[in-house]
Amino acid sequence: MLVPTAVLFGRVWTDNADKRDQIQLEQKGVEYITTLTPLISALAESQSTSIAGVAEPPETLAAAVTGVSEADARLGDDLRTKERWADLKDKISKLPSATSRIDKLNAHIEVTDLTLALYAAVQRNSKLALDPEADISSLQQAVATYMPRVTVEVNRTGDYANLLQTLPAANRPQIQAQFAYEVIAVQESVKRLTEALQSAVDNTTSATLSSSLVNALDSFRRGIEQLIRGADPTGGQPSSGTTSTAQTTLQGALSNLAGVTLREMDRLLDDRLDSLNYRRGEAVVMGALALLFVAGALIWPAFARRRDSEPVAPAADRPIGESTRDVALDRPAPPGPYGAPPPYGAPGPYGQSPGYGDLDATRGERSGALR
């Protein structure tokens, strides 16, 4: 009994431990992505302000870099992001060194592309992309793939629209082509983002996911509609004012949407980890019960044999009220005179009369009657 119980317990324990390790690694990925969300927004702001002629990067960028650096110090070894983040951090520090507006734009495009690659690395190394649950799989795809991509594409769309208003005519064709490409990319990314969020809502076990996403999605969709109207993808001249307003609205909506999604992911992972902890405790209790049953099966026969081997106490030593019927039946009759038992029908000691129906007594009475 112990051998199969131990085998089953070992398999359950190992499977439970593997799942716990995977969930804890995914939680580290969620924590890292949470710090990347302010970074991608700050880089978008830095790109827009630098193209507008502001020399110093925004304060939000320094704070975001500090946040990612602290997360990478804690989680970088497990997620294997240290080298990638060190290279990205170095390029971010060199952004103010670009001179022309086009150079600044290109430098920011390189940095944001590296940031998107860091998102993908965290997804891959934390195994979020391999999560077996449909809701978490869809949410991680939305928050780590499509949201940062939409953030980057929306920001580039607004910045290209602003450049088209000020660049010389000779430099406009290339920017016009890039602008048209970003408008199409935004529409495609928004479509995929909406599908991922809808899939998460359709397959989730969370009671709060749907309600949490409603307000954030509404604000996001309004910003997208405003951006498309300002971009005028039918071939007209884009409205820089409309696209800039939509750009600001979308940055806030995306940050809010990312925060809601990440909190829901963290809550779902916590619930799954609690379930695994309960199963682990259940396995320990069942294993302990199995050991107790085996110990009882081994001890009980020895205890039973000990009770069977104990001698029966004499009648005089038995407790009051215990039956003495069998002992009384086996007790010998009292001895007669001189130590011999009296013959059948003979008078007992001290002249006792023979018992009723004695043969000799009857014969004596009959002889007297005849005389």
Side-chain angles (χ1 to χ4, degrees), residues 108 228 239 269:
H108 279 86
I228 298 302
S239 171
L269 290 172

Side-chain angles (χ1 to χ4, degrees), residues 42-129:
L43 286 172
E45 183 182 359
S46 174
Q47 177 177 306
S48 298
T49 55
S50 64
I51 292 175
V54 179
E56 295 295 326
E59 295 180 358
T60 55
L61 181 59
V65 169
T66 301
V68 178
S69 297
E70 292 175 353
D72 192 77
R74 295 191 311 271
L75 311 171
D77 290 332
D78 295 329
L79 299 177
R80 303 192 300 277
T81 57
K82 283 189 172 296
E83 293 183 4
R84 188 180 294 272
W85 169 242
D87 180 58
L88 175 58
K89 184 179 179 181
D90 180 66
K91 285 183 168 55
I92 291 174
S93 65
K94 295 177 181 179
L95 286 176
S97 61
T99 55
S100 67
R101 299 173 67 187
I102 298 297
D103 290 341
K104 292 178 180 181
L105 177 61
N106 290 332
H108 279 86
I109 289 176
E110 180 184 7
V111 167
T112 51
D113 286 342
L114 290 175
T115 306
L116 294 178
L118 180 57
Y119 268 99
V122 174
Q123 280 180 285
R124 181 175 58 255
N125 297 336
S126 66
K127 298 184 180 180
L128 277 169

Side-chain angles (χ1 to χ4, degrees), residues 162-174:
N162 290 330
L163 284 174
L164 286 173
Q165 305 295 323
T166 57
L167 285 177
N171 297 334
R172 289 182 183 177
Q174 182 180 0

